[in-house]
Amino acid sequence: MLSFNPLFVYTARTNPPPMQNLRHGDSGPIVEQIQTALNFAGPTRLPRLPIDGQFGALTVARVMEFQSLNDLAVDGVVGPQTNGKLPQDGPGDNQQPDPAQGRSILADLYDRELTAYDNGNTALHISPISGGRPGYRSTPGVFEMTSRRLRRHSSSEFPGKDNMNFSLFYHGGEAIHQGDPNVKSHGCIHVPAPFAEQLFDWAGNTDIWVVVIGA
């Protein structure tokens, strides 16, 4: 078995300092440990992580997915509770992570891009996108896409003919739908034409998780 130091454990100290919360934008060897632990932390619908020590968008999404599956606060931050549930032993010799299974959509509002994954492989990559404006921020989190998927749709709350075409609802009234990526929404994710229709057709009636980060 390869040796893998538990995260945030300090040797030769009787009173270790409080652990530091790690989040988007952090980097270094401790992030590599987090990435390795996440890769061996059980099922995922997202790609396995490159061990690059960069706490980027995909690492945030994997943390949020792990938190959701383990009944933790879904904030994308590795603090004491999340750390405590991550695997503390490293992989064995030549052991590889299990492949990703299932469909997911990552709406990355840090970098204004959306990626649809099928078993961890990129099916569609769309940029730019936009999220909610101040007062109507898109809700960050991990959501199961609902069965409400409407090729033609107009918002009753914010009227306008066919202003939410190709809607894929995932959290209450929040949906991924066709819209100007240079205009902030009322909480939804705007995807430009013709990609909104491509994404809608790809989604079909399949089971999909939506991960929204950076909102």
Side-chain angles (χ1 to χ4, degrees):
M1 207 63 154
L2 293 178
S3 174
F4 184 75
N5 291 329
L7 301 180
F8 309 110
V9 172
Y10 295 79
T11 58
R13 292 178 183 263
T14 55
N15 295 302
M19 67 162 287
Q20 174 188 1
N21 288 348
L22 294 176
R23 63 190 73 230
H24 183 260
D26 287 337
S27 62
I30 195 65
V31 177
E32 293 183 6
Q33 291 189 21
I34 292 169
Q35 291 169 329
T36 300
L38 285 166
N39 278 345
F40 289 90
T44 181
R45 294 186 179 219
L46 295 163
R48 296 297 178 174
L49 293 168
I51 311 303
D52 59 6
Q54 302 298 316
F55 207 127
L58 186 57
T59 300
V60 174
R62 285 285 287 109
V63 170
M64 291 172 68
E65 182 190 43
F66 175 81
Q67 290 170 330
S68 177
L69 291 170
N70 286 274
D71 298 318
L72 297 164
V74 181
D75 58 9
V77 176
V78 179
Q81 291 186 325
T82 298
N83 174 52
K85 289 201 172 184
L86 283 169
Q88 301 296 314
D89 294 322
D93 292 336
N94 300 316
Q95 183 180 355
Q96 297 296 319
D98 292 334
Q101 297 288 333
R103 285 187 164 193
S104 61
I105 293 174
L106 171 56
D108 172 10
L109 298 178
Y110 290 117
D111 299 317
R112 298 184 59 202
E113 56 188 26
L114 180 149
T115 309
Y117 295 106
D118 197 341
N119 295 329
N121 299 309
T122 299
L124 289 168
H125 180 78
I126 303 166
S127 178
I129 63 170
S130 65
R133 65 190 65 181
Y136 297 95
R137 295 291 189 191
S138 304
T139 305
V142 180
F143 310 98
E144 184 175 353
M145 186 181 290
T146 73
S147 60
R148 192 179 178 210
R149 307 178 191 191
L150 307 173
R151 184 172 291 273
R152 295 285 180 264
H153 182 56
S154 297
S155 170
S156 58
E157 186 174 359
F158 304 100
K161 181 176 173 55
D162 294 339
N163 60 4
M164 289 183 64
N165 285 346
F166 308 112
S167 284
L168 301 168
F169 285 87
Y170 60 87
H171 179 62
E174 294 180 38
I176 301 168
H177 65 83
Q178 183 170 294
D180 187 342
N182 297 310
V183 175
K184 295 284 188 179
S185 73
H186 292 90
C188 292
I189 306 295
H190 280 179
V191 175
F195 305 110
E197 183 175 9
Q198 293 175 13
L199 182 66
F200 186 89
D201 290 341
W202 173 83
N205 294 317
T206 58
D207 173 38
I208 298 172
W209 289 1
V210 178
V211 185
V212 180
I213 68 170

